[in-house]
Amino acid sequence: MRRLRKRVLVTGGAGFVGSHLCERLIAAGDDVLCVDNFYTGSRDNVAHLLSSPQFELLRHDVTHPLYVEVDEIYNLACPASPIHYQRDPVQTTKTSVHGAINMLGLAKRVGAKILQASTSEVYGDPHVHPQPESYRGNVNPIGPRACYDEGKRCAETLFFDYYRQHALRIKVARIFNTYGPRMHPNDGRVVSNFVVQALRNEPITVYGQGSQTRSFCFVDDLVEGLIRLMNSPDEVTGPINLGNPKEFTILELAQQVIALTGSKSEIRHLPLPEDDPLQRQPQIDLARDILGWAPTVALADGLPRTIEYFASLEEVMGAAAL
């Protein structure tokens, strides 16, 4: 029996994660409407999809209403790295909150199922380790990261209020550190920072002693988790953690990047930024049990693919030649 083709809206679809998601949905036979205001996303990320009759690209900011007919919505629109979301913190909060209201209103109007790309940042600097979905977090509501942390927490609130008040079909994924090709080279995230610095043979900047930990999930694994969550039964709302539970110190990551690139970079230690979490590791029991999902790409396998991508960028390697 032939599968019915779905009409899927991906907000933030020209971004790092969104572009990989659009690719997977098209490969599955869906029609994809990719919406992005190109604040951090790029047409280059989806240029290879423009010739597909299943793909449509629309410049739009989700802080304004959108009137389209779709069956599913993946709401990924929001700057996700500190450098980008702190550049215009008021707009970041608006994107999370007004964007959620507009996309939930659209889903309510057309009867669509909607998935919110939330974040591990809702846990703040956690007192519980690893972080289960039941942990309510330790977030500074007035700190420099609050525009993102609290914006995403408010978006989760809105999703569950629409679920309770309007019986909307919702899914909430809490995304932990993700890396891979199409990351922005200047997004300030630790993987992109280290890889770009190593390729340029510049000092690798490690904040503090590098003993703080992160868990790195390759983008292909994350996209698989998002799709499985969207396709799960309606009673599965989340929130569900999606990330790789394998924990690394920041110093270990720096050393791996130097080794894989053959870089001459030295490690430079700088003071820790305010509210920078000391630990970040997902507990993924729910994802394993409910979605049958667990990451399959080890850091040792994903990092070389990420390095290869950055090495292909003229803006990275051109600067190295100067």
PDB file of all heavy atoms in Angstrom, residues 69-81:
ATOM      1  N   GLU A  69      -1.127  25.437   4.735  1.00  0.00           N
ATOM      2  CA  GLU A  69      -1.837  24.188   5.023  1.00  0.00           C
ATOM      3  C   GLU A  69      -0.806  23.066   5.115  1.00  0.00           C
ATOM      4  O   GLU A  69      -0.140  22.745   4.124  1.00  0.00           O
ATOM      5  CB  GLU A  69      -2.846  23.884   3.908  1.00  0.00           C
ATOM      6  CG  GLU A  69      -3.905  24.958   3.717  1.00  0.00           C
ATOM      7  CD  GLU A  69      -4.799  25.142   4.931  1.00  0.00           C
ATOM      8  OE1 GLU A  69      -5.121  24.122   5.586  1.00  0.00           O
ATOM      9  OE2 GLU A  69      -5.172  26.295   5.224  1.00  0.00           O
ATOM     10  N   VAL A  70      -0.651  22.504   6.295  1.00  0.00           N
ATOM     11  CA  VAL A  70       0.329  21.437   6.516  1.00  0.00           C
ATOM     12  C   VAL A  70      -0.247  20.367   7.428  1.00  0.00           C
ATOM     13  O   VAL A  70      -1.244  20.586   8.120  1.00  0.00           O
ATOM     14  CB  VAL A  70       1.647  21.992   7.127  1.00  0.00           C
ATOM     15  CG1 VAL A  70       2.377  22.890   6.137  1.00  0.00           C
ATOM     16  CG2 VAL A  70       1.383  22.732   8.431  1.00  0.00           C
ATOM     17  N   ASP A  71       0.421  19.213   7.421  1.00  0.00           N
ATOM     18  CA  ASP A  71      -0.002  18.096   8.275  1.00  0.00           C
ATOM     19  C   ASP A  71       0.832  17.989   9.550  1.00  0.00           C
ATOM     20  O   ASP A  71       0.344  17.517  10.581  1.00  0.00           O
ATOM     21  CB  ASP A  71       0.122  16.772   7.502  1.00  0.00           C
ATOM     22  CG  ASP A  71      -0.683  16.775   6.223  1.00  0.00           C
ATOM     23  OD1 ASP A  71      -1.897  17.046   6.296  1.00  0.00           O
ATOM     24  OD2 ASP A  71      -0.102  16.529   5.142  1.00  0.00           O
ATOM     25  N   GLU A  72       2.093  18.401   9.451  1.00  0.00           N
ATOM     26  CA  GLU A  72       3.017  18.324  10.588  1.00  0.00           C
ATOM     27  C   GLU A  72       3.892  19.569  10.622  1.00  0.00           C
ATOM     28  O   GLU A  72       4.213  20.137   9.573  1.00  0.00           O
ATOM     29  CB  GLU A  72       3.915  17.084  10.505  1.00  0.00           C
ATOM     30  CG  GLU A  72       3.170  15.765  10.650  1.00  0.00           C
ATOM     31  CD  GLU A  72       4.089  14.552  10.528  1.00  0.00           C
ATOM     32  OE1 GLU A  72       5.271  14.710  10.159  1.00  0.00           O
ATOM     33  OE2 GLU A  72       3.603  13.428  10.798  1.00  0.00           O
ATOM     34  N   ILE A  73       4.297  19.953  11.836  1.00  0.00           N
ATOM     35  CA  ILE A  73       5.174  21.113  12.020  1.00  0.00           C
ATOM     36  C   ILE A  73       6.319  20.712  12.942  1.00  0.00           C
ATOM     37  O   ILE A  73       6.090  20.231  14.054  1.00  0.00           O
ATOM     38  CB  ILE A  73       4.424  22.297  12.633  1.00  0.00           C
ATOM     39  CG1 ILE A  73       3.215  22.696  11.779  1.00  0.00           C
ATOM     40  CG2 ILE A  73       5.369  23.483  12.844  1.00  0.00           C
ATOM     41  CD1 ILE A  73       2.271  23.665  12.476  1.00  0.00           C
ATOM     42  N   TYR A  74       7.538  20.927  12.460  1.00  0.00           N
ATOM     43  CA  TYR A  74       8.725  20.833  13.314  1.00  0.00           C
ATOM     44  C   TYR A  74       9.165  22.264  13.601  1.00  0.00           C
ATOM     45  O   TYR A  74       9.615  22.976  12.699  1.00  0.00           O
ATOM     46  CB  TYR A  74       9.862  20.098  12.610  1.00  0.00           C
ATOM     47  CG  TYR A  74       9.690  18.610  12.429  1.00  0.00           C
ATOM     48  CD1 TYR A  74       8.973  18.092  11.353  1.00  0.00           C
ATOM     49  CD2 TYR A  74      10.286  17.710  13.317  1.00  0.00           C
ATOM     50  CE1 TYR A  74       8.845  16.722  11.163  1.00  0.00           C
ATOM     51  CE2 TYR A  74      10.165  16.332  13.136  1.00  0.00           C
ATOM     52  CZ  TYR A  74       9.447  15.848  12.066  1.00  0.00           C
ATOM     53  OH  TYR A  74       9.323  14.480  11.870  1.00  0.00           O
ATOM     54  N   ASN A  75       9.039  22.711  14.856  1.00  0.00           N
ATOM     55  CA  ASN A  75       9.379  24.095  15.190  1.00  0.00           C
ATOM     56  C   ASN A  75      10.813  24.163  15.716  1.00  0.00           C
ATOM     57  O   ASN A  75      11.070  23.990  16.904  1.00  0.00           O
ATOM     58  CB  ASN A  75       8.407  24.659  16.228  1.00  0.00           C
ATOM     59  CG  ASN A  75       8.646  26.137  16.465  1.00  0.00           C
ATOM     60  OD1 ASN A  75       8.988  26.887  15.553  1.00  0.00           O
ATOM     61  ND2 ASN A  75       8.479  26.573  17.707  1.00  0.00           N
ATOM     62  N   LEU A  76      11.750  24.435  14.799  1.00  0.00           N
ATOM     63  CA  LEU A  76      13.174  24.517  15.143  1.00  0.00           C
ATOM     64  C   LEU A  76      13.689  25.945  15.138  1.00  0.00           C
ATOM     65  O   LEU A  76      14.874  26.177  15.370  1.00  0.00           O
ATOM     66  CB  LEU A  76      14.014  23.691  14.147  1.00  0.00           C
ATOM     67  CG  LEU A  76      14.194  22.191  14.415  1.00  0.00           C
ATOM     68  CD1 LEU A  76      12.863  21.462  14.395  1.00  0.00           C
ATOM     69  CD2 LEU A  76      15.136  21.584  13.378  1.00  0.00           C
ATOM     70  N   ALA A  77      12.831  26.912  14.852  1.00  0.00           N
ATOM     71  CA  ALA A  77      13.293  28.285  14.650  1.00  0.00           C
ATOM     72  C   ALA A  77      13.738  28.922  15.959  1.00  0.00           C
ATOM     73  O   ALA A  77      12.918  29.143  16.848  1.00  0.00           O
ATOM     74  CB  ALA A  77      12.186  29.114  14.014  1.00  0.00           C
ATOM     75  N   CYS A  78      15.022  29.216  16.068  1.00  0.00           N
ATOM     76  CA  CYS A  78      15.586  29.986  17.182  1.00  0.00           C
ATOM     77  C   CYS A  78      17.097  29.902  17.101  1.00  0.00           C
ATOM     78  O   CYS A  78      17.641  28.814  16.855  1.00  0.00           O
ATOM     79  CB  CYS A  78      15.129  29.459  18.540  1.00  0.00           C
ATOM     80  SG  CYS A  78      15.590  30.572  19.900  1.00  0.00           S
ATOM     81  N   PRO A  79      17.806  31.023  17.274  1.00  0.00           N
ATOM     82  CA  PRO A  79      19.267  30.920  17.387  1.00  0.00           C
ATOM     83  C   PRO A  79      19.611  29.997  18.553  1.00  0.00           C
ATOM     84  O   PRO A  79      18.991  30.082  19.611  1.00  0.00           O
ATOM     85  CB  PRO A  79      19.709  32.363  17.683  1.00  0.00           C
ATOM     86  CG  PRO A  79      18.574  33.220  17.272  1.00  0.00           C
ATOM     87  CD  PRO A  79      17.335  32.404  17.443  1.00  0.00           C
ATOM     88  N   ALA A  80      20.587  29.108  18.357  1.00  0.00           N
ATOM     89  CA  ALA A  80      20.843  28.078  19.363  1.00  0.00           C
ATOM     90  C   ALA A  80      22.237  28.139  19.974  1.00  0.00           C
ATOM     91  O   ALA A  80      22.556  27.312  20.828  1.00  0.00           O
ATOM     92  CB  ALA A  80      20.614  26.689  18.754  1.00  0.00           C
ATOM     93  N   SER A  81      23.058  29.083  19.557  1.00  0.00           N
ATOM     94  CA  SER A  81      24.392  29.194  20.157  1.00  0.00           C
ATOM     95  C   SER A  81      24.482  30.502  20.927  1.00  0.00           C
ATOM     96  O   SER A  81      23.857  31.501  20.547  1.00  0.00           O
ATOM     97  CB  SER A  81      25.470  29.156  19.077  1.00  0.00           C
ATOM     98  OG  SER A  81      25.474  30.364  18.330  1.00  0.00           O
TER      99      SER A  81
END
